Amino acid sequence: MKKLKVANIPGDGVGNEVVPAANKVLKTISDIHGGLTFDFTDFPYGCDYYLKHDAMMPADGLDRLTDFDAIFLGAIGNKALVPDHISLWGLLIKIRREFEQVINLRPAKVMNGVKSPLATPKDFDITIVRENSEGEYSSVGGRIFRDEDEIAIQNSIFSRKGSERAIRFGFELASKRNKHVTSATKSNGIVYSMPFWDEIFTGVAKDYKDIQIDSQHIDALSAFFVTHPEKFDVIVASNLFGDILSDLGAAIMGSVGIAPSANINVNGKYPSMFEPVHGSAPDIAGKGIANPIGQIWTAKMMLDHFGEEEIGRTLLEVIEDVTGDGFLTPDIGGKHATDEVTDEIIARLKKK
């Protein structure tokens, strides 16, 4: 019996609706599997916690999470209550950095029954491998002077170790997919970090002779996501570029509400964290119409991470069967509630 200890952090807004929905799906999978169980523990960290304690999590919050096999996160942020830079750096990014979750994985694909805004999506299936620990999102910099002379300095940090780790992860992933890797760069405009990234990409590629490679400037690559997304397989990108591309990937799927992601710790020292791409959506929180698919597809990525790829494939097939038959929430043109979509997924899993 494989028992996985999972720390639930529903967080803010719709996270409190979609995390329990995905937990129900995972419990169903456990019953079907027979050799896999989940031990869920809830943690109330988020903006409401901040209003009571002046912190997004307690001082020993990370210590409490360390011994779990995975962290299952819903959504963080409610700028009406807490400024975004406080909520994100106080919880989400803090966990990513302190737990050395150096890789961010974000897939995007055509989903049955979900209308893409693209006229001809052509069955694209992309996975973005985003460097998740440094790059443009470093905390190096500061502000000096005052008034009209005030200056903000933000330094990007690109290490050979961090860049190569992300790029190599992408090549390893591509070797199990369609054997094609595209590098997102901007070496014609960013004169130090991006040529450095390009050099590392070219060097790593020499170790994977059977994989086709391509390098595209981020502006052109963003355009190609709209015009020819079917040409891409695995994309390796810096922290900022990967963030932008993955949201664009969610958009061309049809809704950010269905997009999953995983923050991977590759050295085994700390748990990895799994979260949907969407935010807390305070405008629809509590209405029962939040799309649970992003969180449930994220659960599929967690299953893959723990070697349960067969049941993970089954789950994604069931999700697409459900969307293909019109069980859609309002954000993707349907009229079904969160619970209705979740219950339909569970019912079809039981028939597999």
Side-chain angles (χ1 to χ4, degrees):
M1 177 71 70
K2 181 190 291 187
K3 184 176 183 179
L4 297 177
K5 293 175 58 181
V6 179
N8 280 335
I9 306 180
D12 301 308
V14 298
N16 294 282
E17 300 166 53
V18 296
V19 167
N23 285 168
K24 287 171 61 179
V25 172
L26 286 170
K27 289 176 181 177
T28 300
I29 286 173
S30 175
D31 293 340
I32 295 169
H33 188 287
L36 176 67
T37 62
F38 297 93
D39 181 8
F40 298 109
T41 302
D42 291 333
F43 291 86
Y45 306 155
C47 289
D48 287 338
Y49 186 93
Y50 182 90
L51 295 180
K52 295 177 182 178
H53 305 282
D54 200 32
M56 293 296 293
M57 69 169 82
D60 66 345
L62 291 176
D63 291 336
R64 298 185 189 188
L65 297 173
T66 299
D67 292 332
F68 285 87
D69 296 307
I71 301 167
F72 200 46
L73 178 69
I76 296 298
N78 185 341
K79 62 183 179 181
L81 302 177
V82 181
D84 283 343
H85 69 280
I86 292 176
S87 61
L88 293 180
W89 282 89
L91 183 56
L92 177 63
I93 297 177
K94 188 176 182 66
I95 293 173
R96 287 178 179 175
R97 298 290 170 90
E98 296 296 325
F99 282 175
E100 300 177 20
Q101 294 168 351
V102 297
I103 302 294
N104 183 239
L105 286 180
R106 294 187 175 185
K109 68 186 295 291
V110 172
M111 295 284 286
N112 291 341
V114 179
K115 182 175 175 55
S116 168
L118 301 180
T120 54
K122 297 182 181 178
D123 293 330
F124 65 84
D125 186 348
I126 304 166
T127 296
I128 297 162
V129 177
R130 170 189 174 195
E131 198 292 314
N132 205 37
S133 64
E134 51 184 37
E136 304 89 348
Y137 290 177
S138 82
S139 55
V140 179
R143 292 165 68 163
I144 58 175
F145 308 135
R146 294 182 180 180
D147 302 325
E148 65 181 14
D149 293 321
E150 188 171 13
I151 298 173
I153 301 169
Q154 179 71 51
N155 292 327
S156 295
I157 303 297
F158 283 73
S159 70
R160 181 171 294 276
K161 178 180 178 180
S163 298
E164 180 172 339
R165 182 171 51 202
I167 291 169
R168 193 171 294 278
F169 192 101
F171 274 90
E172 289 292 327
L173 181 61
S175 68
K176 303 172 186 176
R177 288 172 48 95
N178 296 319
K179 299 185 182 299
H180 189 279
V181 178
T182 301
S183 171
T185 185
K186 190 57 182 171
S187 50
N188 63 345
I190 303 176
V191 297
Y192 294 114
S193 60
M194 285 292 102
F196 180 68
W197 173 276
D198 293 349
E199 291 168 12
I200 296 171
F201 178 76
T202 301
V204 172
K206 293 177 181 178
D207 295 334
Y208 298 88
K209 303 292 187 182
D210 61 333
I211 293 180
Q212 292 182 299
I213 63 171
D214 184 25
S215 182
Q216 296 284 346
H217 292 139
I218 184 63
D219 44 352
L221 183 53
S222 298
F224 290 146
F225 258 45
V226 175
T227 57
H228 295 291
E230 76 282 358
K231 291 186 176 181
F232 301 106
D233 178 23
V234 172
I235 295 173
V236 292
S238 67
N239 214 330
L240 175 62
F241 291 174
D243 196 5
I244 293 170
L245 287 174
S246 55
D247 275 17
L248 181 54
I252 63 175
M253 277 199 293
S255 171
V256 72
I258 62 176
S261 78
N263 301 281
I264 304 298
N265 171 277
V266 297
N267 60 26
K269 292 181 181 179
Y270 304 103
S272 295
M273 179 166 62
F274 301 84
E275 55 168 322
V277 173
H278 66 70
S280 59
D283 57 320
I284 62 168
K287 296 181 179 180
I289 59 173
N291 195 330
I293 290 175
Q295 194 79 47
I296 296 171
W297 191 354
T298 295
K300 183 265 186 196
M301 295 184 75
M302 184 166 68
L303 290 167
D304 291 344
H305 179 70
F306 289 112
E308 300 294 337
E309 295 180 347
E310 183 176 350
I311 192 67
R313 282 192 294 271
T314 299
L315 176 55
L316 188 55
E317 288 171 2
V318 168
I319 291 171
E320 290 208 68
D321 287 344
V322 168
T323 57
D325 286 342
F327 286 87
L328 309 173
T329 47
D331 62 306
I332 48 178
K335 59 182 181 180
H336 291 277
T338 306
D339 288 345
E340 290 175 321
V341 174
T342 303
D343 290 346
E344 187 65 23
I345 290 172
I346 289 172
R348 296 194 187 200
L349 277 170
K350 290 179 177 179
K351 295 177 181 178
K352 285 287 184 177

